Amino acid sequence: MSANLSAIFYLISGILFILALRGLSSPETSRQGNYFGIAGMTIAIVVTFLSVGNFSVGFIYILFFLLIGGSLGAFIAFRIPMTAMPELVAGFHSLVGLAAVFVAISAFLRPEAFNLGVVGDIKLASLIEMSIGAAVGAITFSGSVIAFLKLQGLMSGAPITFKGQHILNLLIGISIFILVYLLCNFQISEYFWILITVSFILGFLLIIPIGGADMPVVISMLNSYSGWAAAGIGFTLENSALIITGALVGSSGAILSYIMCKGMNRSFFNVILGGWGATADSSSENATREKKPVKNGNADDAAFLMKNASSVIIVPGYGMAVAQAQHALREMVDALKKNGVKVSYAIHPVAGRMPGHMNVLLAEANVPYDEVFELEEINNDFANCDVAYVIGANDVTNPVAKSDPQSPIYGMPILDVEKSKSVLFVKRSLSPGYAGIDNDLFYRDNTLMLFADAKKMTEEIIKGL
Amino acid sequence: MEIDPFIFRLSIFILSIFVGYYVVWSVTPSLHTPLMSVTNAISSVIIVGAIIAALAGSDDKIFETSSIFGFLAIILAAVNIFGGFLVTQRMLQMYKKKKK
């Protein structure tokens, strides 16, 4: 296959990838979009085989390895519980990053295969592109591994900080640029290996200071990095499918990080530069010391309140995912609907551990997506609703974000749960949420605390309905 | 004077960033998780580089350092391609409208 013809096909597969993302603008077109993506991938792979044109023993091995990787991927995709999507995505990012590093290494070791020159005399532009691709890929890999370990609970979600951390990261960042410069000037392979090693270390150091609830930002950011790594390799290989995809994924991840940061009213740098919990210590101590009265309720009270309500808004959060309460929740809502209660769901942008996490969990429990609303869409409805059922969410409902400029979450957009006639707050204890701040909502007159596991409480309420 | 092909690739790259920007803003927030898993899958198109690398070895010596890295990258990318598209499909199947 001629180079021009294959370039056209790569362009087509790039366009199919654009359509794949475009399909996600609504759930109806999304499934079709995914098929576009699969088609684009198939075209890219087949065209690559045809343009290399080598169908000897190596080809058989490639099919064999494709099959191994593919069945492993398929196995994971079918087995993974929906609550574990953040871990899965972080894990997949690390694979993209590592694959980028490997491709860059083999291009460096055998530049002739890619038309990039010969060992020791690689074209300057290609060398810059492959070292950028390798460095970003390595950062993506080690960063995603840390994110995966934190999400999976194999590593504490608490931020790990030490003195001089930012300066160290800055120095490593600068050294990466110096190494690329040296590599381009002298073409000594040692620089390339040091570059990759140092990038692995940087990825690791960048993610350890970031706390568990900032994971939505981290995952989106790593998503973006994996895109830029792919684009870097795309430039090296002069492949437009890879360049287009890299740009798409890179900007997609960047936009998601921006949305997540806005959902927490924090700047991107604020998140990247480290732990939230650390700054919130003093205020949380003061708040928990005052023993304020709390109204304590049980499942029967909750069932009674909701049965007699005309509208109920459900506010799910990460706690619902941990307790796997989404199915019980949907049964409760079904029972309420039978009683003629109008029910909708309100989702905060940073609920859960990744963008859109709650929506997937509710979809898994067969909640129709047109009953689920985003913050802007539903926030005005709280004032007219009888009961807000907060299950596993905390900080995103804290009215302090609107009233106390001293609070670390001040300015964060929150769900106006406190405006509803009564609030049912399912929680295991009065302990503060991730941000380490006490939730003012617990002590309001219209709040009834339901101290229990989210799933158990919801199941008991169903019995009472 | 002739234009360096690099400039053309750079143009594709920058235009794609803009396309990506507008396309991603139009993605409904409720589908942000599938968005991440599908971008994950498509970024594994890096497999084309892995295939070229893996086929670079000669027939009597298929496994040499550079092609081994190619084969490893193929496995990693394949996990991602199949895993990414299938898990996206699985999620999207669950998004249903209210039964009328």
Side-chain angles (χ1 to χ4, degrees), chain A residues 70-83:
Chain A
S71 23
L72 190 61
F75 178 75
I76 297 171
F78 287 120
R79 293 295 301 273
I80 191 90
M82 284 298 140
T83 40

Side-chain angles (χ1 to χ4, degrees), chain A residues 31 34 56 77 80 110 355, chain B residues 33 59 64 66 80 89-90 92:
Chain A
R31 286 173 279 265
N34 201 37
S56 58
I80 191 90
R110 217 170 204 286
Chain B
T33 299
D59 265 358
E64 50 175 13
S66 80
N80 235 334
Q89 193 66 20
R90 203 181 130 201
L92 294 177

Side-chain angles (χ1 to χ4, degrees), chain A residues 5-18:
Chain A
L5 190 60
S6 51
I8 301 264
F9 276 111
Y10 284 132
L11 181 64
I12 293 173
S13 94
I15 291 169
L16 286 168
F17 290 150
I18 295 175

Side-chain angles (χ1 to χ4, degrees), chain A residues 131-148:
Chain A
S131 37
I132 292 175
V136 180
I139 293 173
T140 312
F141 171 71
S142 53
S144 303
V145 168
I146 300 297
F148 174 82

Side-chain angles (χ1 to χ4, degrees), chain A residues 255-270:
Chain A
I255 291 172
L256 290 176
S257 329
Y258 169 79
I259 296 175
M260 292 302 111
C261 287
K262 221 179 93 207
M264 294 191 288
N265 187 40
R266 303 178 66 199
S267 76
F268 185 68
F269 285 101
N270 184 311

